[in-house]
Amino acid sequence: MNDVANTSQHDQHDQHDQHEPGADRRQPVLDHRELGRDLRIFESSPLVGPGLPLWLPAGAAVRYELEQYAREVALRTGCEPVYSPVLGKRSLFERSGHWAKFADDMFPPMAVSDSDVDPLVLRPANCPHHAQIYASEPRSYRDLPVRYSELAPMFRAERSGVLSGLSRVRQINLDDAHVFCRPDQVADEVEVALGAVLEVLDTLGIEVSYLRLSGRDGSGKWLGAPEQWAAAEDALRVVLTRLAGGLDWRAEAGEAAFYGPKIDVQVLDARGHEETLATVQLDFNQPERFDLTYVAASGERERVVMIHRGTVGAMERMVAFLLERHAGRLPFWLAPVQLCLLPVGGSGADDGGAGGGGAGGGAVDQVGELAADLRARGLRVRVERDGSLGNRIRLARQRRDALLGVLGPREIEAGVLAVTDPASGVKASVLLSELGERLAEAARRRVARVGW
């Protein structure tokens, strides 16, 4: 493989890609809703309703990759997959405390009959269901920790005025996990959870601004004994000291949830605004409300500690964040179209001239075979055959396709594909015999850009 400056047959291909790498980052931040239209990520329908986005094939490809990654990380860090229903009795959420605190943000109960005194509701959170899975059998101290993971939808009755694209929706598809452990296991479990979060954010190209230990203050609004909180916050400090490395971390009193301290992962969005993108949360509330216990070595029943964790988080929010963070040009492994193939003929008629009108027959036949081979390797490939080369390049760039590949008589004779990476400006003639494995390996390794 050799880097080349394609100059003769594909001059216009070069001209469309001669831009300074990173120039997009100097432009005003593009709203994810605009990017979603350009990339055909999602759409809305007045018949379906606001806040209920329809994931189009390109968006589904991105979400699928994120979900697969979340599943892999969950399994690698000891989680067992579970499934739970999106509905639950109102009494479940009364018991958990969600009804008292979030009833105004929940959809109305659904009575199956007029005599139904305990109607069903769409869940606003997944943790009560996971608590019931834990409670489904007796637990010994030797059984702990128990870790459950689920890519699960939950629902918020957001008012129409606050709904926005993917960032504020009524159905949230969450990469969610819950750990049930002994108090002496908290530090180790938090370290595993936080390490997984930091790995995923690094893979996604998201820089962490700082880590925040959110603890209690001197007010009386906190659930649990002060000594329980002190021990938990000390465990979190140990983890931050051990794991943060070069990352800044700080403790902020009063920022905890009422039911336990947490570590918040703070990032800057594309506009420079700080937000919490991931949290590792200790919970004293659910174990107390659902009487979640284990049998200790002494033979006594003791209260378990619950930890809320995840990596990717809400699929909608993460995709919106990534679209704006990367100005639509997603990392190679996430890109809806990883390679756009552009067959061209040898007469020059389809090289972007006024009379351009499609690709030559030989190139079309070979590009079809190449596309089939790459798809068989799990790669997302698009073939653009119709129109001038210039127009096809413009469409591919508007979609933010990760790589552009031109195949004409010259390339066929040499057994190569003329590849351009619009993000970096790198151009290479890549041997067709090596192309599939190189791209498949890059996708497997979840790299941001393919190295040539």
Side-chain angles (χ1 to χ4, degrees), residues 33-117:
R33 292 167 294 185
E34 178 182 345
L35 292 164
R37 285 192 296 271
D38 285 351
L39 277 70
R40 300 291 294 151
I41 297 294
F42 69 98
E43 193 54 86
S44 60
S45 164
L47 286 177
V48 175
L52 298 169
L54 302 169
W55 292 83
L56 304 178
V62 178
R63 177 173 161 181
Y64 176 84
E65 291 290 351
L66 290 172
E67 290 178 341
Q68 285 296 97
Y69 189 24
R71 287 189 180 97
E72 289 178 22
V73 174
L75 288 170
R76 181 157 34 90
T77 54
C79 291
E80 298 177 287
V82 296
Y83 293 101
S84 58
V86 300
L87 294 168
K89 287 184 175 182
R90 182 174 62 193
S91 57
L92 172 69
F93 301 106
E94 290 173 340
R95 180 86 170 268
S96 70
H98 288 89
W99 186 259
K101 193 169 182 64
F102 300 113
D104 290 343
D105 297 318
M106 295 171 64
F107 284 95
M110 296 175 280
V112 178
S113 67
D114 292 340
S115 61
D116 194 347
V117 297

Side-chain angles (χ1 to χ4, degrees), residues 199-242:
E199 174 202 319
V200 168
L201 294 183
D202 181 62
T203 301
L204 293 172
I206 301 172
E207 183 178 354
V208 175
S209 180
Y210 68 95
L211 305 174
R212 182 176 69 195
L213 170 53
S214 299
R216 62 178 283 164
D217 57 18
S219 67
K221 64 181 181 180
W222 314 104
L223 177 72
E227 56 271 19
Q228 185 181 32
W229 277 79
E233 290 183 28
D234 285 345
L236 298 186
R237 283 190 181 88
V238 169
V239 172
L240 287 168
T241 302
R242 198 159 58 194

Side-chain angles (χ1 to χ4, degrees), residues 338-339 341 365-381 383 417 431-440 444:
Q338 293 169 314
L339 175 63
L341 290 171
D365 292 341
Q366 183 139 348
V367 87
E369 296 173 7
L370 176 59
D373 174 69
L374 296 175
R375 288 170 182 145
R377 297 172 185 266
L379 295 162
R380 294 182 292 278
V381 179
V383 179
L417 184 72
L431 290 173
L432 293 173
S433 59
E434 298 180 359
L435 178 69
E437 184 54 37
R438 289 295 297 272
L439 295 183
R444 281 194 296 269

